[in-house]
Amino acid sequence: MAARISLEPRRTLLNRIGGWATRRKFGEELEPARAMGHHTGVTLAYAVFEGQVMRWKALPYRLKDLAVMASAVRIGCSWCVDFGTWESTTHGIPLEKLEAVPHWRDSDLFDEDERLVMEYSEAMTADPPEVTDELTGRLRRHLDEKQLVELTMIVAVENLRSRFNAAAGLTGQGFKDRCEIPAAKTTGETGRVRE
């Protein structure tokens, strides 16, 4: 499927700088940034906003990344799942765990706090939101107020990202392929793993 918003904005100074910065950080220009590049005000505001989001450190990555992935999966943003998988593996989250997020309720890979975070993320992402006092109370046994605020806001941020990207028709750039674990190479009949 082709993007619904052109990924070829005018090559303004801002777009050239943004393209250079994302190529430097991620190896290529990010399609959401290219789509937003048609509107200077949106591009600037969003870049500043995401720069600040990256500075939030109260919630451990293992919880934050699972929250983001659960929201992206619930919305159905394949671009966000693609990028989020790669980004989460750079934070040390095992690929096996990330691939289990769509069916986390049936998986034994997740700790209690991780399950609660994904349940909360899905409840926030529902339309209308389905967050309950009971669910928030269970989360409070694992998170302090600052962490709960950060969790709530990162899920809201991922809703913004995923809904923009899904509506724009962005489907992924192959980031997940960068974190695949290659199959072990074996030698002939012995079946030993080669270095």
Side-chain angles (χ1 to χ4, degrees):
M1 168 172 82
R4 295 183 192 105
I5 298 175
S6 166
L7 301 180
E8 298 301 327
R10 286 183 329 121
R11 298 307 290 173
T12 62
L13 179 60
L14 176 63
N15 287 337
R16 289 194 312 269
I17 292 170
W20 172 82
T22 59
R23 279 190 308 276
R24 186 168 181 237
K25 184 169 178 122
F26 305 110
E28 62 186 290
E29 288 185 55
L30 301 181
E31 289 179 352
R34 291 173 62 193
M36 288 179 208
H38 295 283
H39 191 297
T40 301
V42 168
T43 301
L44 281 172
Y46 190 73
V48 169
F49 177 70
E50 283 289 355
Q52 293 303 307
V53 169
M54 290 189 311
R55 298 174 74 150
W56 301 347
K57 304 290 184 200
L59 197 62
Y61 277 123
R62 74 179 178 85
L63 298 178
K64 191 181 314 193
D65 289 351
L66 291 173
V68 165
M69 288 296 285
S71 295
V73 166
R74 176 79 184 242
I75 290 169
C77 178
S78 56
W79 194 94
C80 296
V81 171
D82 174 52
F83 183 80
T85 299
W86 170 78
E87 184 175 45
S88 297
T89 61
T90 68
H91 297 150
I93 313 289
L95 184 59
E96 176 185 35
K97 197 174 248 192
L98 296 166
E99 290 176 338
V101 168
H103 52 87
W104 64 266
R105 285 177 175 83
D106 301 321
S107 173
D108 60 357
L109 295 174
F110 301 101
D111 297 332
E112 181 183 1
D113 59 345
E114 295 169 335
R115 291 176 174 283
L116 285 168
V117 161
M118 289 185 288
E119 183 179 353
Y120 186 78
S121 299
E122 289 180 352
M124 269 191 69
T125 302
D127 188 18
E130 299 169 349
V131 175
T132 65
D133 293 344
E134 185 272 333
L135 173 56
T136 306
R138 287 189 289 139
L139 260 174
R140 278 201 172 98
R141 287 184 283 226
H142 299 275
L143 305 178
D144 62 28
E145 293 296 314
K146 185 175 184 178
Q147 291 172 320
L148 185 57
V149 168
E150 187 168 316
L151 171 63
T152 302
M153 191 53 75
I154 200 65
V155 173
V157 169
E158 186 53 36
N159 270 258
L160 173 126
R161 294 170 180 150
S162 287
R163 292 180 190 282
F164 177 86
N165 294 341
L170 306 179
T171 58
Q173 288 185 243
F175 281 96
K176 184 180 181 291
D177 297 338
R178 298 179 190 179
C179 58
E180 294 290 343
I181 300 169
K185 296 177 183 175
T186 59
T187 59
E189 297 172 16
T190 66
R192 291 188 187 160
V193 175
R194 262 192 313 202
E195 298 288 328

